[in-house]
């Protein structure tokens, strides 16, 4: 692939940190636009030594910033978002303006000649039976503000007539320089390490999962095959082998970390009622398949979290 100038908004975030490094390793120039709302500057600081990396401290909702940056780049990857059920519920204004309105603003500024690769979430499939595979043609029925704002942003891209590639991402796991401990996958590992017990809520609810490096590789694949992928535009990005219920995932974690018990909370009701399994066949037919297994992810996250808590008196095992 020819060398490209890539703008990654939210490039200092959990996924952004991994994707930015992937793009730099492949020889591209990367501009990271981030407001550092989580004070994660240390995660991106080491990239200052790379001459192909540029950091801009700013907000994706600022039209002056976007009007200056967007025209200078060949590829736009807008990762900046308020992510997850709880975060969006706590900050509904920031969720709507960042997840949806900033993408609509980007649509007015970018040109059809620029690549746009957008990450939606497969939480937009909402509450299904947990038995029938959701495909890209399945109706979107988001039940959370997070899903609603991301699906509205997807719709604005698809209706723009300027093209683009949309990924509906599975639940993510894996190590990043800007780590997220609260992800359900990671939380189970942390519970196992620190308490030797995993508490499972609504254990039959199923989700699809994907490793963070597979997402970064998927975005890079879309850059390489952009023109072909625009014909279908929307792709589920996850692992078919990682369609698991919460209880199934907990058992895999417990199998890897000796002495871990599992208890199920039958009183608490999770307001995030998502329950679905997802087909990633369309993306496989395009030529890309996620490679990292859930078992590999558990091993990796366990190793990382063991380092994280090794000198934490409050979490000593």
């Amino acid at each position: 692939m020819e060398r490209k100038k890539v703008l990654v908004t939210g490039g200092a975030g959990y996924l952004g940190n991994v994707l930015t490094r992937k793009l730099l390793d492949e020889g591209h120039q990367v501009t990271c636009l981030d407001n550092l709302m989580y004070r994660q500057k240390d995660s991106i600081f080491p990239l200052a030594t790379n001459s192909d990396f540029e950091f801009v401290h700013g907000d994706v909702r600022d039209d002056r910033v976007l009007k200056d940056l967007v025209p200078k780049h060949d590829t736009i990857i807008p990762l900046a978002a308020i992510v997850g059920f709880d975060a969006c519920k706590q900050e509904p204004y920031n969720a709507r303006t960042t997840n949806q309105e900033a993408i609509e603003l980007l649509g007015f500024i970018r040109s059809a000649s620029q690549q746009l690769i957008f990450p939606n979430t497969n939480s937009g499939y909402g509450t299904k039976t947990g038995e029938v595979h959701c495909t890209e043609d399945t109706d979107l029925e988001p039940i959370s503000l997070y899903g609603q704002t991301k699906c509205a942003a997807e719709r604005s891209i698809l209706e723009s007539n300027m093209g683009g590639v949309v990924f509906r991402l599975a639940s993510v796991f894996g190590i990043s320089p800007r780590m997220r401990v609260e992800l359900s996958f990671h939380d189970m590992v942390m519970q196992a390490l620190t308490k030797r017990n995993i508490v499972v809520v609504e254990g039959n609810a199923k989700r699809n999962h994907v490793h963070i490096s597979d997402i970064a590789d998927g975005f890079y694949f879309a850059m390489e095959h952009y023109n072909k992928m625009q014909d279908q535009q929307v792709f589920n990005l996850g692992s078919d082998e990682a369609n698991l219920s919460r209880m199934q995932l907990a058992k895999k974690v417990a199998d890897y970390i000796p002495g871990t018990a599992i208890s199920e909370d039958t009183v608490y009701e999770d307001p995030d009622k998502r329950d679905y399994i997802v087909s990633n066949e369309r993306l496989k037919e395009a030529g890309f398949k996620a490679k990292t297994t859930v078992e590999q992810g558990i091993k990796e996250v366990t190793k990382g979290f063991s380092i994280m808590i090794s000198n934490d008196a409050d979490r000593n095992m």
Side-chain angles (χ1 to χ4, degrees):
M1 189 200 314
E2 65 181 23
R3 179 177 167 90
K4 292 185 180 296
K5 295 180 179 179
V6 186
L7 173 63
V8 181
T9 75
Y14 172 63
L15 174 55
N17 256 284
V18 175
L19 177 60
T20 294
R21 285 166 168 79
K22 166 72 176 178
L23 295 172
L24 291 171
D25 288 345
E26 295 291 348
H28 300 288
Q29 294 176 281
V30 181
T31 300
C32 165
L33 171 63
D34 204 296
N35 63 6
L36 299 176
M37 65 181 293
Y38 298 107
R39 302 175 185 264
Q40 74 276 32
K41 60 182 181 295
D42 289 349
S43 69
I44 212 77
F45 177 79
L47 296 181
T49 61
N50 192 318
S51 60
D52 286 330
F53 176 75
E54 179 181 358
F55 177 79
V56 177
H57 184 251
D59 197 299
V60 293
R61 297 169 291 185
D62 188 332
D63 62 341
R64 295 168 299 177
V65 173
L66 289 188
K67 286 177 180 177
D68 176 58
L69 287 177
V70 170
K72 300 175 182 178
H73 294 85
D74 306 303
T75 303
I76 316 297
I77 304 179
L79 300 182
I82 306 298
V83 178
F85 183 99
D86 291 333
C88 290
K89 183 178 180 180
Q90 293 170 14
E91 300 184 60
Y93 173 78
N94 287 335
R96 291 191 184 279
T97 54
T98 306
N99 298 1
Q100 178 180 344
E101 294 176 13
I103 301 302
E104 294 169 348
L105 173 61
L106 178 61
F108 289 111
I109 297 172
R110 75 174 181 109
S111 72
S113 64
Q114 294 173 298
Q115 294 183 341
L116 176 68
I117 306 170
F118 174 71
N120 192 2
T121 166
N122 69 18
S123 68
Y125 292 125
T127 303
K128 306 297 183 187
T129 65
E131 299 299 332
V132 179
H133 280 78
C134 296
T135 73
E136 292 82 356
D137 297 322
T138 301
D139 290 339
L140 294 175
E141 299 173 352
I143 59 176
S144 67
L145 182 60
Y146 176 52
Q148 291 162 7
T149 54
K150 294 292 284 186
C151 288
E154 172 187 307
R155 187 164 56 249
S156 73
I157 293 169
L158 299 181
E159 294 176 353
S160 69
N161 297 318
M162 287 198 294
V165 172
V166 174
F167 284 121
R168 294 176 182 164
L169 303 182
S171 296
V172 191
F173 62 89
I175 297 294
S176 165
R178 189 301 209 208
M179 197 59 191
R180 291 183 60 197
V181 179
E182 83 284 0
L183 297 176
S184 58
F185 187 109
H186 297 167
D187 181 61
M188 285 187 184
V189 174
M190 186 63 83
Q191 287 186 63
L193 285 173
T194 59
K195 301 176 181 178
R196 286 297 188 265
N197 182 62
I198 301 172
V199 178
V200 178
V201 177
E202 298 185 4
N204 290 327
K206 292 182 179 178
R207 310 274 171 87
N208 193 218
H209 299 80
V210 67
H211 191 270
I212 191 169
S213 65
D214 284 319
I215 295 179
D217 289 347
F219 274 90
Y220 190 71
F221 180 86
M223 287 175 59
E224 290 183 298
H225 302 87
Y226 188 80
N227 292 336
K228 178 182 177 181
M229 292 179 72
Q230 278 197 107
D231 293 340
Q232 293 178 299
Q233 284 194 279
V234 180
F235 299 84
N236 291 328
L237 175 47
S239 171
D240 285 335
E241 292 75 25
N243 278 304
L244 300 171
S245 72
R246 288 174 172 174
M247 184 58 73
Q248 288 172 323
L249 178 57
K251 288 179 178 178
K252 286 181 179 290
V253 174
D255 285 344
Y256 185 75
I257 302 176
T260 300
I262 299 173
S263 56
E264 189 162 12
D265 186 340
T266 58
V267 176
Y268 176 76
E269 290 189 11
D270 189 347
D272 188 359
K273 297 288 186 181
R274 288 178 291 148
D275 181 17
Y276 48 75
I277 54 179
V278 177
S279 169
N280 302 285
E281 189 62 31
R282 178 181 290 183
L283 188 54
K284 284 193 288 186
E285 290 176 354
F288 181 84
K289 185 179 186 296
K291 297 180 292 186
T292 308
T293 66
V294 166
E295 289 78 9
Q296 289 172 317
I298 293 170
K299 180 178 180 181
E300 170 189 306
V301 174
T302 299
K303 184 176 181 180
F305 281 2
S306 296
I307 296 170
M308 183 184 295
I309 66 178
S310 60
N311 198 35
D312 188 336
D314 294 330
R315 284 178 169 167
N316 277 341
M317 295 178 284

